[in-house]
Every structure is written in structure tokens, then in C-alpha cells.
Amino acid sequence: MKPVLVLWLVRHGWPESLAPDYAMMVGLATLLGSVLVLRQAERDGARVHVQARAIVCAYFGALVGGYLFEWIRAVPDAIHAHSFAPIAFAGRAAYGGLIFGALAPAVYLRRRGDTFLDFLDRATLGMGIVFACVRFGCFLEGCDYGRPTASVLGVRFPAGSIAAEAHALAGWVPAGAPSLPVHATELYESAVGLLATCAALVPLRRGRRDGAAFATWLVVYAIGRFLIELLRGDVERGRYAMLSTAQWVSVAILAGIFFVTLARRRRLVVAAAAAAATMTALVVAPSTANAQEPKPAPLKPATAEEALPTTQAPAPVPASATGEPAAATATGEPAAATATGGPAAAAADQAVAPKPADAAVESPKRVTARLNLASSATIARPDVPSGWALELDVLYRLRLSEKSRIDVGVEGRRYVNVEATHWSIGVAADLVLIGGKHFELLFTFVPHHTWFDFESEFFTDTNAYGLRYGVGAQFPFGPVLFGLTPLAFTTTSSTTVGVISQYEPRLWAGASF
């Protein structure tokens, strides 16, 4: 549907670059979802920097799980075709991202000694936004389309779309014609994700963080996804024993939640007191542990009674005849420090004015601008020549802890080879691990949208989307910084040239302010 949106924008005098695509919607979903979860974590009194790291783990887990799920599903096709291509060109599965996106932060939080049920409950606020945005991106790209329908809900995908080509191959429409009206199953799933979040708000607003909100979200989504699969028209998603892969996963999730709930209720009937104590510990212990972190015991200012062995207030000690102050009281004990000075007063001042808890961690947030020069070598596509790229990044720093932060911003890119020039804009995100004053380790992810301008007669100009990811090192020297990324790869996909993967090591220089 994106070509239709682009045509509408151009017809009304708007630039076509305003049309979003799948990669942009994924980046937008990640940012909005993270903001909602972190704000709720702050209201709950949780450690925000720990929750932020858990979100990063969830993002990586969802990315890996989405691909891994589809790779496993494509193994039978690869064996049947005697080719690795079905695995290499597999997409991403929503359920794979959901499952691994929940497991990854659970492992991290467990190692940190935190419970993960409260995190999963808060995550339901962002999950509806994520699914709504991502599935709307699928709608724009035309994937995951539905079956033909004659109802008012039917939408036609334009010529060249996945649905139109599948319908032409089946002989339902002429080649080069739009598709038949089909169910907009992508938008249906977006609505189901938002509906699941609305349902999860009921247990979430009760204040308990015991996994009930997350379980509610899963139940609503699993039921909705099972029903939507009945309306799906794409045949690439896999079917086993009359059910699709997603339907089998939905059944497994519903069965798992049912048996867990049944086991909990039986435990309550058999041993109500023990179960109540367990649930109380699960809910209360994390917040109690956070609220009762060990703190230095404040020193009480020394009173007159504590400073002197007598019960009477000490009289002022006059100076001796030689003009020096008396060093001891009449009882032989050292004189207490006065209110205006001395060790006791200094200790009292320190106790009365405690240091802020985050004084050593917090630092001013800054903006980083850097210029990257990348060499690009195309992988496994002899028809696509290699080239070079120039990139400008503007990033805003979000500190997670004293030793880590996330840099988020925008990236503009210009790529050139002998046959084409393309411009890209993307959402740049760096996970930065601070190893020292002059060394930082970077994990970079940049979902981007690209405009190809081909000079070759074999390809026509086209739009594409993709992802760049890599591992590099940054060397800051005051406000100036330098860096390199020896391991960096960019994958770009379009309907005209297919999938292009490139190895792109890069050097950069920049400044923070």
C-alpha cells in the first residue's frame, strides 16, 4: 500500500519521503514502547536504569527470536529444495519476537536479582504500540495479506505487490493488475494488539505486578491471532495438520496459561496460607528490596549529655592563664566539640546534609554529532557493484548507568557506486558500554529507508528499507571523539532489486556537546 500513499502525497504536493515504511514503523514502535515502559517503571519506584537495560535485552531478543523462529520453520523447505535459500531469505515471525523478547529480559533480571513478572506487566503498555506500528508497517509493505473478500472491509493492493503477484500467478487477475479485494489482516492484528493492552490495563491498575497483566495480554492476543489466521491469504507462513504455525503457538500459549492458572488455584485450595505467603513475597519482595537498600547510618549530632559523662550541661571552659584553651574538662575527659566547629560538628553536618543518591551516576545529557566514512562490499550479488558511503549521525545520549548508555538519533546517508546513488534516512541506536575514559564499545542498529537512483538500464529507481548493524569502538578525548567499526553489515530489500547484503567497515570522527 505504500505506493498508493506515495501517490497521494505527491498528488497533494507533499514530498514522498513522508511516506513511512516497515523499518520506520519498527523504529517508532521501539521508541514509543520504551518511553511508556520506563515512565511506568518510574511510577512504580523500580530501578529505571535496570529496566532500561531489560528493554535493550528485550529488543535484541525479539530481533533474534523473530529470525530464528522463521529459520526453524524454513528448514523443511530448505531440505526439500536442496538449497539454503529458504532459510537465508526467511523473514521474521511475530511470535518468535514475542517469545524471545520476553525470555531475554527475564534472564537478565534474574541475574540482577530482580523479579521479571513486574517488568513483563509493565511491558504490556508498550507491546500494544509495538504490534500496532509493526503490523501497520506490514500493511504498507503488503506482506501478511488476507484472503479475498467481497465485504466492505476488502482492500486492493496495487500492482507489483505480493498479493497482486500471487493473484496473477493463480490466474485470478491479469498480470500487472491490482489484487482482488482482500482482508486487511495486518490492520486487524494491529487492533488486536491495542485491544490486548486495553484488557491488560485492568489488572495493571490494581497495582500488583505478579504477571496477571502480561497473562491477560497473551490470552487476548493469542485468541485474536488464532482467528485472524483463518483470514490470512499468504501461503508462505507454514501449515501443519490444517493449522498454521501461529495457530499452533496460540494454542500452546492458551494451554500453558490455563494449566498454570489451574495449578495456582489448586495450590490455593490445598495450602491457602503457604500460597498467600508466596504471592506476597513475589509481589512485595522486589519493592521492599529496592526500598530497603543498605544506606549508611546517619550520625547523630553529639548532645551535651552524650559528650560529657555528667548529667549536667558543660559550662564554657575558659582559657588558661597562658591564653591557651583548656584541653579537658574538670573530670579529665576531652571537651566536646562546639556547635561552630570540631570533629563532632563536621560529622553532624555530613549527617544532616546527605549526598544525592545519584550524584556519582548522573551526568549532563549531551548531543553527539559524527561523520562516518564507510567502504561497502556487496556479498553474494555479482550483479551489484561495491561502493562507498558517507553518513552523518546526530545522537542524543540516554544514560543507563555509570558504565553504559544508549545513544539514539537520526542518520542521513549517501551511497555511491558505478551504477547507482542512493540516499537513506534512518533511526540510529547505539548501545554504549564504557570501558574507560578513552574507550567505549558500541553495538549499533540502524533501521533505514532508502531511495535508489539507478544509472543502469537493468534497474529502475525504487524505494527500499533495511537494517544496518555492527560492533565498533569509540575513543573520546574530551569533546572530540574518533572511532571505527570493523564488523558492520547492511541489508537492504526492495521489490526491484531484491535483497542486498553488504559488508561495510567504517571510520568516523565527531564531537559531543
Side-chain angles (χ1 to χ4, degrees), residues 55-67 96-105:
I55 291 175
V56 174
C57 293
Y59 178 78
F60 281 107
L63 189 65
V64 173
Y67 281 112
L98 175 61
I99 294 172
F100 281 80
L103 291 178

Side-chain angles (χ1 to χ4, degrees), residues 74-93:
V75 167
D77 295 336
I79 296 175
H80 181 267
H82 301 285
S83 172
F84 192 71
I87 298 177
F89 295 99
R92 290 188 299 274

Side-chain angles (χ1 to χ4, degrees), residues 152-353:
V152 295
L153 299 177
V155 295
R156 288 181 179 269
F157 284 94
S161 63
I162 301 175
E165 292 181 353
H167 291 180
L169 186 62
W172 296 347
V173 297
S179 72
L180 295 175
V182 297
H183 285 285
T185 49
E186 309 94 337
L187 301 184
Y188 298 170
E189 192 170 343
S190 294
V192 167
L194 294 175
L195 179 63
T197 295
C198 293
L201 287 177
V202 176
L204 191 66
R205 288 182 174 179
R206 294 174 183 170
R208 297 190 305 173
R209 301 291 181 263
D210 54 0
F214 183 69
T216 302
W217 196 98
L218 284 180
V219 168
V220 176
Y221 177 78
I223 294 175
R225 180 65 186 273
F226 186 95
L227 297 176
I228 290 174
E229 286 292 311
L230 299 175
L231 302 176
R232 288 276 291 268
D234 52 327
V235 297
E236 297 85 5
R237 65 192 188 281
R239 295 186 66 85
Y240 308 94
M242 302 303 295
L243 293 180
S244 68
T245 306
Q247 286 177 315
W248 282 114
V249 177
S250 297
V251 170
I253 288 176
L254 293 173
I257 293 176
F258 173 77
F259 285 113
V260 169
T261 304
L262 183 63
R264 285 184 175 181
R265 289 184 177 180
R266 182 175 300 175
R267 193 182 308 122
L268 285 173
V269 173
V270 175
T278 301
M279 295 300 294
T280 303
L282 288 175
V283 178
V284 178
S287 59
T288 305
N290 292 339
Q292 296 180 357
E293 292 181 354
K295 299 179 180 179
L299 299 175
K300 293 172 59 179
T303 61
E305 290 80 359
E306 295 170 339
L308 295 175
T310 63
T311 57
Q312 300 292 329
V317 180
S320 63
T322 60
E324 296 184 0
T329 63
T331 61
E333 297 290 336
T338 65
T340 58
D349 291 340
Q350 292 178 359
V352 172

